[in-house]
Amino acid sequence: MYAKALAPEYQGALSSLSVNSSLTDVLAEGTDRLRAAERAGSQREAARSGLAVAEAHRRLGHVEEADRAWKASYRAARSAGDVGAMAWAVWSGGTLARQRGSLALARRLLALAAELGKRGDDVVARGYSLAGLAETGRIQGDYEAVHALHEQLLAEARKRGEARHTVWALEGIAQIHRNTGSYDTAFAMFEEAAAIAAQADDQRGRAWALRGMADIVSLRDKDVDRALALLSEAELVCREMKLTSALAYNLKMRGNVLYRAAHYPSAREYYETALAEFRAMSEPRGTALSRLGLAKTLARLGQDPALTAAELDDLRGELDRIGLRHAREMVDAAYEELGISRPGTRSTSVAPVPGARAAREAVAAR
């Protein structure tokens, strides 16, 4: 049995906040507490309150505000000589760097946060920082390097009965299995994560697990209705808690599910909505993945193959720049799937995209 999930990033006067607190509420209360700490001249409390402010801004997609807030939290922690609080601030900065696509910076900051957590004897800060390093490697597609670290962190979280970290590790390992084709294993782990999150009242973790389950149900079982129902359940949580990034990824997954089912006009709408959300929060990974889905959908709707090829080529370069190996492989697969030659190749023939005429007629009939 797992105890109720906690939010260790909400500290000091904010430690009573729930892991399920609305991010807008966290931001409002955190800002009030931060101002009170600054008026009182309490650097320690300013660091702790500032961390909550940074995390709320980050999860709401306010990247510039989040960047200022974690740095201010670090300065306050350093002034107070609170090494543990310094570790948490740098963890927040490293997580933000990953969100913004600055993966090399993310690794440096998260490694520093792990070291500060060790020096400050803050086991949780160190654990979160190591988890951040593992997640950074995973989204880059460096599965061999980080799978063992995910497993280690999962074992430690289970031993301590930390529901939130157990859920995170299960979801991370499940995603690796999903991306390497082990759909049954992935689904079982996403399902376990969802059950633990529900038991521990970790609604954020549950929303991500439901999204993972929907992905597998769509890929493995071709069950569109069930996949969309799982995503709708997760979407309610995202909207209630104001989980901006998680909601955008939910919308993109809806596009994926509909694309796989050849519902191209509807898929286009969701990809376009997700793309606008990711661009608004300056989230390059989500932006690139939404662009890829949209490019493939437009190709199915009869777009000029030369335009699709140019978009895929630009995306390939962008993903190389960010360092997302798995996503770049998805772009390479898209050329073959759509029968489109890469720009600069000798072949000039472009294979017709199956279903393009029917899709165009469906759009015209709307």
Side-chain angles (χ1 to χ4, degrees):
M1 293 291 291
Y2 287 89
K4 187 172 182 178
L6 301 175
E9 68 270 33
Y10 302 152
Q11 303 172 6
L14 298 169
S15 58
S16 62
L17 287 175
S18 164
V19 67
N20 300 320
S21 295
S22 163
L23 292 176
T24 51
D25 291 344
V26 173
L27 181 58
E29 188 167 349
T31 300
D32 286 346
R33 294 289 188 177
L34 174 59
R35 289 171 178 163
E38 290 173 341
R39 288 194 298 269
S42 175
Q43 294 293 329
R44 186 182 299 273
E45 186 57 35
R48 303 288 178 171
S49 300
L51 172 65
V53 170
E55 281 299 284
H57 276 308
R58 180 182 68 79
R59 291 165 177 162
L60 287 166
H62 308 158
V63 293
E64 298 300 331
E65 294 89 339
D67 190 53
R68 289 193 292 269
W70 84 258
K71 290 174 180 175
S73 175
Y74 176 80
R75 289 193 297 268
R78 186 176 58 188
S79 296
D82 188 336
V83 180
M86 290 166 63
W88 277 107
V90 177
W91 164 78
S92 181
T95 307
L96 176 65
R98 183 178 65 238
Q99 182 174 314
R100 300 178 78 172
S102 301
L103 301 183
L105 175 60
R107 287 193 298 272
R108 290 197 299 272
L109 289 174
L110 290 166
L112 174 59
E115 176 59 27
L116 288 168
K118 182 178 181 180
R119 284 169 43 196
D121 199 26
D122 192 320
V123 175
V124 180
R126 178 171 172 77
Y128 268 58
S129 301
L130 290 173
L133 283 169
E135 186 165 348
T136 302
R138 177 174 56 76
I139 69 169
Q140 287 185 276
D142 195 4
Y143 305 138
E144 185 176 349
V146 300
H147 195 159
L149 181 54
H150 273 80
E151 294 282 4
Q152 174 192 331
L153 293 169
L154 173 60
E156 292 176 1
R158 287 192 192 277
K159 183 177 180 180
R160 292 195 296 266
E162 292 179 359
R164 194 171 172 208
H165 239 194
T166 300
V167 168
W168 167 85
L170 282 167
E171 291 171 354
I173 299 168
Q175 193 65 43
I176 292 174
H177 283 298
R178 178 259 184 250
N179 289 351
T180 52
S182 300
Y183 296 152
D184 291 348
T185 302
F187 184 82
M189 297 189 83
F190 278 128
E191 193 172 40
E192 183 184 358
I196 292 173
Q199 176 188 316
D201 196 23
D202 175 8
Q203 293 304 312
R204 183 185 303 140
R206 181 169 165 273
W208 282 107
L210 290 172
R211 175 183 170 275
M213 291 170 62
D215 188 25
I216 303 299
V217 165
S218 167
L219 272 171
R220 182 190 65 182
D221 306 333
K222 317 299 181 189
D223 191 336
V224 179
D225 291 341
R226 186 182 177 205
L228 293 177
L230 288 166
L231 289 171
S232 293
E233 192 176 349
E235 183 179 345
L236 290 174
V237 175
C238 294
R239 292 192 182 281
E240 182 176 342
M241 293 180 62
K242 305 296 190 296
L243 301 175
T244 307
S245 179
L247 178 59
Y249 275 103
N250 184 294
L251 294 170
K252 185 195 73 67
M253 184 56 69
R254 280 186 180 273
N256 291 356
V257 169
L258 293 165
Y259 176 86
R260 292 166 190 156
H263 299 325
Y264 301 126
S266 296
R268 175 182 181 171
E269 291 181 6
Y270 280 106
Y271 282 134
E272 288 177 337
T273 302
L275 179 57
E277 293 289 335
F278 283 124
R279 281 177 167 162
M281 67 181 81
S282 301
E283 217 276 36
R285 177 170 172 256
T287 296
L289 292 173
S290 299
R291 284 177 62 194
L292 175 58
L294 182 58
K296 291 168 60 177
T297 302
L298 292 175
R300 297 291 187 183
L301 291 170
Q303 178 176 263
D304 183 345
L307 293 177
T308 301
E311 173 70 352
L312 292 177
D313 200 54
D314 185 66
L315 263 175
R316 197 176 190 277
E318 175 67 8
L319 291 166
D320 271 337
R321 183 192 67 77
I322 299 173
L324 299 176
R325 182 196 310 170
H326 176 70
R328 194 194 69 182
E329 291 170 355
M330 291 167 61
V331 174
D332 290 342
Y335 287 106
E336 183 175 353
E337 175 190 340
L338 300 171
I340 292 176
S341 300
R342 287 194 61 197
T345 57
R346 287 184 295 174
S347 173
T348 57
S349 62
V350 177
V353 176
R357 177 180 294 178
R360 285 197 300 272
E361 290 173 354
V363 173
R366 290 180 63 207

